Amino acid sequence: QILGNRFFDFFKGDNHQYMIDLFAGACRESTIKKKIHPLKVANRFLTIKVCPLDKSPESSFIIMMRDITERKLAEESLLKSEEHYRDLIENTNDMVQNVTPDGLFLYVNNAWKNTLGYQEDDLGSITLQDIIAPDHLEQYMQNFSILLEKGNIDNVETTFLAKDGRRVQVLGSASCRFENDRPIYTRGIF
C-alpha cells in the first residue's frame, strides 16, 4: 500500500540511504538524477529518475520509476543458463573446438587442451592445419571445405597431433555458423 506512507520508507537498508542521497543531490544541483543500476525493492527491480521542479530546499520532485523485474529476471535466467551451458562444454569428455574459415582457433574446451597438451597461450600461434597429422591433412581439408560450403559434416575421422607429437585418432562431427551466407566459424566435437 502506497497511500499514507512516506516515500523513503519503501526503501530499506542501503537503498534507503541511497535514495536520500539521490534526492539531496538532485535538490542541491537542480539536475535530473538517475539510478541506472536497478534497486531491489520488495522483490521488484526498479530504475528511478528524480527530477527537481525548482532550486528551493523544499522543492517538489517528479519521480519516475520503471519496474524492470521481468527483464532483470530474464537476464538472471539467461546468465544461469549460460553458466550451465559453459559448465557442460568445459567439463565434457569430448573435445570441442571453434575454428575460423582460415583455420584459427577461437575456442577449445578443457578436454581438447588436456588431450592434446596445449595451453590457452598456445592457441594464438597454431592453426587447424598444425594439429592434423600430415597423412590426414589433405582429406581433412577436403572435409573442411565441404563443411564451409554445406554447413555440417558427420563421421569425420582424422588424426590430431598432440603438442608432444603423439597421434590422437578422433571421430566426430562439425557444423558451421553462417552470417549473411558467409561462414563465420566452425564447431567441431570429437
Side-chain angles (χ1 to χ4, degrees), residues 95 115-116 132 140 156-160 168-172 190:
M95 298 181 351
T115 301
L116 298 179
I132 305 296
Y140 191 86
V156 177
E157 284 187 63
T158 195
T159 301
F160 287 167
V168 179
Q169 292 182 327
V170 296
L171 171 66
F190 299 95

Side-chain angles (χ1 to χ4, degrees), residues 21-52:
D21 294 344
L22 184 72
F23 275 78
C27 185
R28 185 175 51 253
E29 299 168 21
S30 297
T31 59
I32 297 172
K33 294 290 183 178
K34 295 180 184 179
K35 172 63 176 159
I36 295 180
H37 300 291
L39 290 172
K40 189 167 186 181
V41 179
N43 295 322
R44 306 301 295 174
F45 291 95
L46 307 173
T47 57
I48 299 172
K49 186 186 285 187
V50 178
C51 307

Side-chain angles (χ1 to χ4, degrees), residues 97-106 108 112 116 118 123 125-134 137 140-141 143-145 147-148 158-161 174 186 188 190:
Q97 65 185 34
N98 287 355
V99 179
T100 68
D102 298 336
L104 302 175
F105 289 98
L106 295 175
V108 297
W112 192 99
L116 298 179
Y118 289 99
L123 298 178
S125 61
I126 61 172
T127 66
L128 181 62
Q129 293 85 346
D130 296 326
I131 68 153
I132 305 296
L137 186 58
Y140 191 86
M141 295 316 292
N143 287 338
F144 196 70
S145 293
L147 172 61
L148 294 176
T158 195
T159 301
F160 287 167
L161 291 178
T186 64
F190 299 95

